[in-house]
Amino acid sequence: MALGQLTNQIVLMFVLMLVGVLINKLGFMQAQTSNDLTNILLYIVSPCLIIGAFEQHYSASRMQQLMLVCVGIFIFYIIEIFISSIVKLSATLMAYSYNWSRKLNQLWHNIRWTTIA
């Protein structure tokens, strides 16, 4: 998509949003009408636009790119799982070390007072 065409689409989207804000501010639309239009856009128009955006001609290079992206996502998930397990393990070890240091501190405090007395 060319940069000029993309800019035109963005400007058009903002103009449509401005029209919607003006209609709402001037009171031309009731709350029920707004809900109905939202449901139509959400459940009918959006899926049609998504399907239309993905309609492209088949080519082997696109399939290869898709497989490459799938492998990259899988590797990324494995790395995320590994990092989260390390973070969880370190949090568990820190909790254990905190408890043990408290217990050793109490023990040392008790031993010191019993030796002095």
Side-chain angles (χ1 to χ4, degrees):
M1 182 178 275
L3 186 61
Q5 186 181 8
L6 182 63
T7 305
N8 288 338
Q9 292 294 322
I10 291 172
V11 169
L12 178 64
M13 185 172 53
F14 278 109
V15 168
L16 288 173
M17 288 186 335
L18 180 64
V19 168
V21 168
L22 288 175
I23 286 174
N24 192 21
K25 291 288 182 185
L26 295 174
F28 285 138
M29 191 180 311
Q30 302 295 326
Q32 183 60 38
T33 307
S34 175
N35 289 338
D36 293 340
L37 287 175
T38 300
N39 287 338
I40 289 171
L41 286 173
L42 184 64
Y43 294 118
I44 297 172
V45 175
S46 292
C48 291
L49 288 174
I50 291 170
I51 291 170
F54 281 105
E55 280 187 12
Q56 296 179 0
H57 296 290
Y58 174 79
S59 69
S61 66
R62 286 185 196 258
M63 193 56 118
Q64 186 178 15
Q65 288 175 349
L66 175 67
M67 289 298 141
L68 188 62
V69 167
C70 290
V71 168
I73 290 171
F74 181 74
I75 290 171
F76 186 72
Y77 282 158
I78 296 297
I79 291 170
E80 283 182 341
I81 290 169
F82 180 71
I83 290 173
S84 67
S85 66
I86 289 174
V87 168
K88 184 178 178 183
L89 179 64
S90 70
T92 305
L93 289 176
M94 290 202 43
Y96 283 135
S97 67
Y98 175 74
N99 287 336
W100 277 104
S101 71
R102 254 184 57 212
K103 288 179 182 178
L104 288 175
N105 191 15
Q106 288 174 351
L107 181 65
W108 173 251
H109 183 70
N110 291 340
I111 290 173
R112 200 173 74 192
W113 282 108
T114 55
T115 309
I116 295 173

